[in-house]
Every structure is written in C-alpha cells, then in structure tokens.
Amino acid sequence: HVQLVESGGGSVQAGGSLRPSCIDSERTYSSVCMGWFRQAPGKEREAVAAMYLGGGATYYADSVKGRFTISLNRAQTMVYLQMNSLKPEDTAMYYCAAKGQFCLAGGSWYGGFPYWGQGTQVTVS
C-alpha cells in the first residue's frame, strides 16, 4: 500500500525558492510514475509535474516550465519539486501523487493517479 507524505512547503516572497519533497513512507517501491499537483482556493486542481521513475522522463505544465524541476532520490524513494522564481499565482496546496504505470498514457501524463499525499501548503507573497 503506497502511502505518500509531503513536506517542505512554506511561505516565501515572490522570486524566492522552495523545495517540497514527497516520500513513499511504506517503501513499497511499486510506484512507476510520481507527480505533483496543486490546488488554490476556489480553483480546480491542476497538474504541475511528473516523472517516470524507470527512465527519468519528466513532464511539466506550461505554467511552470523553466522554473520548476522534479527530481528523484531513488535510494530514499523521495521525489522533490524544486521551485524557483516563485510567483504569487503559485500559491496553492501542493499534493504528491503516484501510480503504478507509465506517466504518459493516451497522450496525457496527468491522469490515473490512485495514490495521494495529504498536501503541503506553498504561499508566495
């Protein structure tokens, strides 16, 4: 049973950086694709980034390309989201998600995630 735990959110001024992390606390090693999503108050959840753990392929939302980087510490089964040049519109609850299949399916990389963390708040002022 995959259990995801996020940490590393916080508050930062515009232009600053944060690096939230996500770990599979049960060490199931069954995840094939892990991703980050976010949801701001009153808005729908949106995909931010994802990584195929088997080969390192990464996927990003257009709004974060060039500013955010998803990476993996395979030994710790931990996924990071390095967020640079943060903007107030990046303010949201950020969620880690995982699935046991390829990220890219049917032309989309942001669907079909059955496992979710509890979220970590990111506030940019």
Side-chain angles (χ1 to χ4, degrees), residues 1 23 27 29 58 71 86-87 89 123:
H1 176 67
I23 190 169
R27 298 292 198 274
Y29 301 105
T58 56
S71 62
L86 282 162
K87 305 174 182 180
E89 51 263 44
T123 302

Side-chain angles (χ1 to χ4, degrees), residues 26-59:
E26 296 297 315
R27 298 292 198 274
T28 62
Y29 301 105
S30 61
S31 298
V32 176
C33 174
M34 294 184 73
W36 287 94
F37 294 74
R38 67 186 181 186
Q39 187 167 22
K43 294 187 177 182
E44 293 187 355
R45 185 178 63 198
E46 65 171 329
V48 176
M51 170 179 267
Y52 167 52
L53 305 188
T58 56
Y59 308 87

Side-chain angles (χ1 to χ4, degrees), residues 37-41 90-95 118-122:
F37 294 74
R38 67 186 181 186
Q39 187 167 22
D90 294 317
T91 295
M93 185 71 80
Y94 282 70
Y95 297 91
Q118 82 288 350
T120 185
Q121 178 68 38
V122 170

Side-chain angles (χ1 to χ4, degrees), residues 53-125:
L53 305 188
T58 56
Y59 308 87
Y60 295 95
D62 288 343
S63 59
V64 306
K65 282 181 181 176
R67 300 189 298 124
F68 291 11
T69 303
I70 187 171
S71 62
L72 169 69
N73 181 322
R74 189 176 303 278
Q76 297 180 337
T77 319
M78 184 172 285
V79 173
Y80 302 95
L81 184 67
Q82 179 68 46
M83 307 189 296
N84 298 328
S85 302
L86 282 162
K87 305 174 182 180
E89 51 263 44
D90 294 317
T91 295
M93 185 71 80
Y94 282 70
Y95 297 91
C96 177
K99 58 183 175 180
Q101 56 188 319
F102 293 117
C103 293
L104 193 61
S108 167
W109 56 268
Y110 40 82
F113 286 85
Y115 305 111
W116 294 83
Q118 82 288 350
T120 185
Q121 178 68 38
V122 170
T123 302
V124 185
S125 59

